[in-house]
Coordinates of all heavy atoms in Angstrom, one line a residue:
A500 N 11.0 128.9 183.0 CA 12.2 128.1 182.7 C 13.4 129.0 182.2 O 14.5 128.7 182.6 CB 11.9 127.1 181.6
H501 N 13.1 130.1 181.5 CA 14.2 131.0 181.1 C 14.7 131.8 182.2 O 15.9 132.0 182.3 CB 13.6 131.9 180.0 CG 14.7 132.8 179.4 ND1 15.7 132.4 178.6 CD2 14.9 134.2 179.6 CE1 16.5 133.4 178.3 NE2 16.0 134.5 178.9
R502 N 13.8 132.2 183.1 CA 14.3 133.1 184.2 C 14.9 132.3 185.4 O 15.9 132.7 186.0 CB 13.1 133.9 184.7 CG 13.4 134.9 185.8 CD 12.2 135.8 186.2 NE 11.3 135.0 187.0 CZ 10.1 134.6 186.5 NH1 9.8 134.7 185.3 NH2 9.3 133.9 187.4
M503 N 14.3 131.1 185.7 CA 14.6 130.4 186.9 C 15.3 129.0 186.7 O 15.8 128.5 187.6 CB 13.4 130.2 187.7 CG 12.6 131.4 188.1 SD 13.5 132.5 189.3 CE 13.3 131.5 190.8
G504 N 15.2 128.5 185.4 CA 15.7 127.1 185.2 C 14.6 126.1 185.7 O 13.6 126.5 186.3
H505 N 14.9 124.8 185.5 CA 13.9 123.9 186.0 C 14.3 123.3 187.4 O 13.6 122.5 188.0 CB 13.8 122.7 185.0 CG 15.0 121.9 184.8 ND1 15.9 122.3 183.8 CD2 15.5 120.8 185.3 CE1 16.9 121.4 183.8 NE2 16.7 120.5 184.7
S506 N 15.5 123.8 187.9 CA 15.9 123.5 189.2 C 16.7 124.7 189.7 O 17.4 125.4 188.9 CB 16.8 122.3 189.3 OG 17.4 122.1 190.5
P507 N 16.6 125.1 191.0 CA 17.4 126.3 191.4 C 18.9 126.1 191.5 O 19.6 127.0 191.8 CB 16.8 126.5 192.8 CG 16.3 125.2 193.3 CD 15.8 124.5 192.0
S508 N 19.4 124.9 191.2 CA 20.8 124.6 191.4 C 21.3 123.7 190.4 O 20.7 122.6 190.1 CB 21.1 124.1 192.8 OG 22.4 123.7 193.0
I509 N 22.5 123.9 189.9 CA 23.2 123.0 189.0 C 23.8 121.9 189.9 O 24.3 120.9 189.3 CB 24.3 123.7 188.2 CG1 24.7 122.9 187.0 CG2 25.5 124.0 189.1 CD1 25.6 123.7 186.0
M510 N 23.8 122.0 191.2 CA 24.3 121.0 192.1 C 23.2 119.9 192.4 O 23.5 118.9 193.1 CB 24.8 121.6 193.4 CG 25.9 122.7 193.2 SD 27.2 122.2 192.0 CE 28.0 120.9 192.9
D511 N 22.0 120.1 192.0 CA 20.9 119.1 192.1 C 21.1 118.0 191.1 O 21.7 118.3 190.0 CB 19.6 119.8 191.9 CG 18.4 119.0 192.4 OD1 18.5 117.7 192.4 OD2 17.4 119.6 192.7
Y512 N 20.7 116.8 191.4 CA 20.7 115.7 190.4 C 19.4 115.8 189.6 O 18.7 114.8 189.5 CB 20.9 114.4 191.1 CG 22.3 113.9 191.3 CD1 23.4 114.7 191.1 CD2 22.5 112.6 191.7 CE1 24.6 114.2 191.3 CE2 23.8 112.1 191.9 CZ 24.9 112.9 191.7 OH 26.1 112.5 191.9
S513 N 19.1 116.9 189.1 CA 18.0 117.0 188.1 C 18.7 117.4 186.8 O 19.3 118.4 186.6 CB 17.0 118.1 188.5 OG 17.7 119.4 188.7
R514 N 18.6 116.5 185.9 CA 19.4 116.6 184.6 C 18.6 117.5 183.6 O 18.6 118.7 183.8 CB 19.6 115.2 184.1 CG 20.1 114.2 185.1 CD 21.4 114.6 185.8 NE 21.9 113.6 186.7 CZ 23.0 113.6 187.4 NH1 23.8 114.7 187.4 NH2 23.3 112.6 188.2
M515 N 17.9 116.9 182.7 CA 17.2 117.7 181.7 C 15.7 117.9 182.2 O 15.2 117.0 182.9 CB 17.2 117.1 180.3 CG 18.5 116.5 179.9 SD 19.9 117.6 180.1 CE 21.3 116.4 180.2
N516 N 15.0 118.8 181.6 CA 13.6 119.1 182.0 C 12.7 118.1 181.3 O 12.2 118.4 180.2 CB 13.2 120.5 181.7 CG 11.8 120.8 182.2 OD1 11.1 120.0 182.6 ND2 11.4 122.1 182.1
Y517 N 12.6 116.9 181.8 CA 11.7 115.9 181.2 C 10.2 116.1 181.5 O 9.4 115.3 181.0 CB 12.2 114.5 181.6 CG 12.1 114.1 183.1 CD1 10.8 113.9 183.7 CD2 13.2 114.0 183.8 CE1 10.7 113.6 185.0 CE2 13.1 113.6 185.2 CZ 11.9 113.4 185.8 OH 11.8 113.1 187.1
V518 N 9.9 117.1 182.2 CA 8.5 117.4 182.5 C 7.9 118.2 181.4 O 6.7 118.0 181.0 CB 8.3 118.1 183.9 CG1 6.9 118.7 184.0 CG2 8.7 117.2 185.0
A519 N 8.6 119.1 180.8 CA 8.1 120.0 179.7 C 7.7 119.1 178.5 O 8.3 118.2 178.1 CB 9.2 120.9 179.3
Q520 N 6.5 119.5 178.0 CA 5.9 118.7 176.9 C 6.2 119.5 175.6 O 6.5 120.7 175.6 CB 4.4 118.6 177.1 CG 4.0 117.9 178.3 CD 4.4 116.5 178.4 OE1 3.8 115.7 177.6 NE2 5.3 116.1 179.3
P521 N 6.2 118.8 174.4 CA 6.5 119.5 173.2 C 5.7 120.7 172.9 O 6.1 121.7 172.4 CB 6.3 118.4 172.1 CG 6.5 117.1 172.9 CD 6.0 117.4 174.3
E522 N 4.4 120.7 173.3 CA 3.5 121.8 173.0 C 3.8 123.0 173.9 O 3.3 124.1 173.7 CB 2.0 121.4 173.2 CG 1.6 120.9 174.6 CD 1.8 119.4 174.8 OE1 2.6 118.8 174.1 OE2 1.2 118.9 175.8
D523 N 4.6 122.8 175.0 CA 4.9 123.9 175.9 C 5.9 124.9 175.3 O 6.0 126.1 175.8 CB 5.5 123.4 177.2 CG 4.5 122.5 178.0 OD1 3.3 122.7 177.8 OD2 5.0 121.6 178.7

Side-chain angles (χ1 to χ4, degrees):
H501 182 69
R502 185 176 74 256
M503 303 290 287
H505 62 274
S506 171
S508 173
I509 201 169
M510 306 310 297
D511 196 334
Y512 270 12
S513 56
R514 314 301 183 177
M515 318 310 156
N516 184 351
Y517 61 72
V518 169
Q520 303 293 293
E522 63 269 22
D523 297 334

